[in-house]
């Protein structure tokens, strides 16, 4: 669907009909303004409608309609196409969900195509419209607002995942027996999804910050430096989380191995304690007619006492050795 259409001049929004045709006509009549059209999970017909109005490249439109694209920046003539991955955290299942925002930037227009529930651009648009001095930089200001909103979302997700990682560390090193391998694996997979969205943005944000890309003026470039710094920070934080999860998994597996060794030592100790009386009872249960001590009146009681003494001695030995 078409979410919003706006025409801006000198950092101020004009009150016009929210239709792509109105935006195209306005920027055709006034060379000092630019338009911003926002679409959410548009149909092919809606994308074709906007494509024809603003001359969007066919290949870029195909990428915008297909989700799960890799974050990238492509240039088509005098226009740029920026694809960004959005992230949001779902408490149920420790899941990091992903979406996509494609931004078409021309000299006098911006078209955004969003897929997924993450990083709604309505707030970014409203905040940008309140900052006329920033919006005065034209389409570059819109790109900055979108990048800033999405990267801020990365930081929120990283903080939520960090809480889960802290819980796992506490569980792994708790005195109780826990089974954390499955949750650790799940979080590592989600962290990998985060890195796939964040890492490819390093180079584009640095290019924007140094005005090394067309349509990003030197006056607008400083705004992207802050975004580039945030990308580096959240990237380092996410890589640290991945390292912590790997360490937690190794610690969990090592602890499971130690617990299994403890269990085997306890089993072995009890088997050894039970073996002594079993051996004695087996010997005297062979029913031979001529055996030592068979004629002794207190022989039965003596054997019972001997079994108890041997068992108690072995128990004390294993207890002192830490096997029991």
């Amino acid at each position: 669907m078409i979410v919003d259409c706006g025409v801006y001049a000198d950092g101020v929004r004009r009150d016009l009909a929210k239709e792509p045709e109105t935006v195209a006509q306005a920027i055709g009549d006034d060379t000092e303004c630019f338009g911003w059209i926002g679409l959410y999970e548009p149909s092919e017909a809606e994308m074709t409608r906007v494509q024809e109005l603003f001359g969007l490249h066919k290949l870029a439109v195909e990428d915008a309609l297909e989700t799960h694209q890799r974050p990238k920046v492509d240039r088509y003539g005098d226009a740029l196409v920026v694809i960004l991955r959005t992230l949001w955290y779902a408490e149920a299942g420790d899941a990091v969900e992903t979406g996509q925002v494609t931004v078409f930037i021309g000299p006098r227009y911006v078209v955004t195509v969003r897929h997924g529930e993450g990083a709604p651009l309505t707030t970014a648009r409203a905040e940008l419209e309140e900052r006329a001095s920033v919006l005065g930089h034209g389409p570059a200001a819109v790109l900055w607002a979108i990048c800033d909103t999405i990267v801020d979302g990365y930081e929120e997700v990283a903080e939520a995942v960090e809480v889960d990682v802290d819980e796992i560390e506490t569980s792994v090193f708790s005195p109780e027996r826990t089974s954390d391998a499955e949750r650790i694996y799940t979080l590592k997979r989600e962290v990998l999804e985060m890195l796939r969205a964040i890492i490819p943005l390093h180079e584009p944000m640095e290019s924007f910050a140094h005005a090394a890309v067309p349509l990003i003026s030197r006056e607008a470039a400083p705004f992207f430096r802050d975004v580039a710094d945030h990308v580096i920070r959240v990237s380092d934080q996410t890589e640290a989380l991945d390292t912590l999860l790997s360490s937690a998994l190794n610690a969990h597996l090592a602890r499971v191995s130690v617990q299994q060794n403890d269990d085997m030592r306890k089993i072995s100790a009890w088997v050894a304690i039970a073996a002594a009386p079993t051996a004695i009872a087996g010997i005297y249960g062979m029913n031979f007619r001529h055996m030592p001590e068979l004629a002794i009146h207190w022989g039965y009681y003596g054997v019972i006492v001997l079994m108890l003494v041997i068992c108690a001695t072995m128990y004390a030995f294993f207890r002192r050795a830490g096997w029991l």
Side-chain angles (χ1 to χ4, degrees):
M1 69 178 70
I2 298 175
V3 179
D4 197 1
C5 300
V7 175
Y8 304 89
D10 298 326
V12 179
R13 176 169 178 157
R14 295 180 180 177
D15 292 327
L16 299 174
K18 296 181 180 181
E19 294 291 338
E21 290 79 6
T22 303
V23 174
Q25 182 179 355
I27 63 177
D29 296 339
D30 186 351
T31 58
E32 299 299 324
C33 68
F34 75 93
W36 179 4
I37 298 176
L39 300 97
Y40 176 71
E41 297 184 356
S43 64
E44 187 173 348
E46 289 174 328
M47 278 303 304
T48 301
R49 176 184 173 189
V50 175
Q51 175 188 359
E52 293 173 351
L53 287 172
F54 297 95
L56 307 181
H57 198 279
K58 180 179 179 180
L59 294 178
V61 171
E62 291 178 357
D63 287 344
L65 288 172
E66 295 291 333
T67 57
H68 305 294
Q69 297 286 333
R70 184 179 184 275
K72 61 181 180 178
V73 177
D74 290 330
R75 182 178 179 182
Y76 295 92
D78 61 349
L80 290 178
V81 178
V82 182
I83 297 179
L84 305 167
R85 301 292 293 168
T86 58
L87 302 175
W88 68 96
Y89 187 73
E91 290 289 345
D94 298 333
V96 176
E97 304 293 344
T98 62
Q100 178 177 302
V101 172
T102 305
V103 187
F104 298 84
I105 304 176
R108 297 179 53 217
Y109 68 83
V110 177
V111 177
T112 57
V113 181
R114 185 168 66 90
H115 293 271
E117 299 178 4
L121 302 181
T122 304
T123 304
R125 184 191 291 264
E127 292 178 351
L128 187 60
E129 289 176 355
E130 294 177 357
R131 304 174 66 179
S133 59
V134 178
L135 193 55
H137 290 288
V142 176
L143 177 61
W144 165 77
I146 294 171
C147 293
D148 188 57
T149 299
I150 292 176
V151 173
D152 286 346
Y154 293 166
E155 293 183 323
E156 293 175 2
V157 172
E159 291 174 0
V161 173
E162 187 172 5
V163 172
D164 288 336
V165 173
D166 291 340
E167 291 176 356
I168 286 178
E169 287 182 318
T170 302
S171 178
V172 166
F173 295 103
S174 66
E176 300 179 358
R177 290 198 173 192
T178 58
S179 180
D180 300 305
E182 182 177 354
R183 190 181 183 194
I184 293 174
Y185 176 79
T186 299
L187 280 176
K188 280 187 67 65
R189 184 178 59 190
E190 303 306 327
V191 167
L192 179 60
E193 194 70 33
M194 293 170 61
L195 290 174
R196 288 174 179 169
I198 299 169
I199 296 298
L201 293 184
H202 284 208
E203 184 177 349
M205 291 303 123
E206 287 294 331
S207 299
F208 294 160
H210 292 88
V213 178
L215 302 178
I216 307 298
S217 64
R218 293 190 176 277
E219 293 75 14
F223 292 97
F224 289 94
R225 293 174 188 168
D226 181 62
V227 178
D229 290 341
H230 286 191
V231 169
I232 294 174
R233 184 172 64 191
V234 72
S235 176
D236 291 342
Q237 183 181 5
T238 306
E239 289 177 345
L241 292 175
D242 185 58
T243 302
L244 285 174
L245 286 171
S246 297
S247 300
L249 180 59
N250 292 334
H252 174 69
L253 295 177
R255 188 177 180 190
V256 169
S257 179
V258 170
Q259 289 172 347
Q260 290 176 342
N261 289 337
D262 289 342
D263 293 340
M264 289 303 299
R265 288 193 300 179
K266 290 179 180 180
I267 294 172
S268 300
W270 285 114
V271 169
I273 292 173
T278 301
I280 296 173
I283 292 172
Y284 280 91
M286 290 189 292
N287 295 322
F288 287 108
R289 182 180 298 277
H290 301 288
M291 291 184 68
E293 295 87 26
L294 285 180
I296 299 177
H297 178 72
W298 48 265
Y300 171 78
Y301 303 101
V303 170
I304 295 297
V305 171
L306 177 62
M307 290 180 180
L308 293 175
V309 170
I310 292 175
C311 290
T313 302
M314 295 180 68
Y315 178 83
F317 173 78
F318 287 127
R319 186 79 174 179
R320 191 180 302 111
W323 284 39
L324 292 174

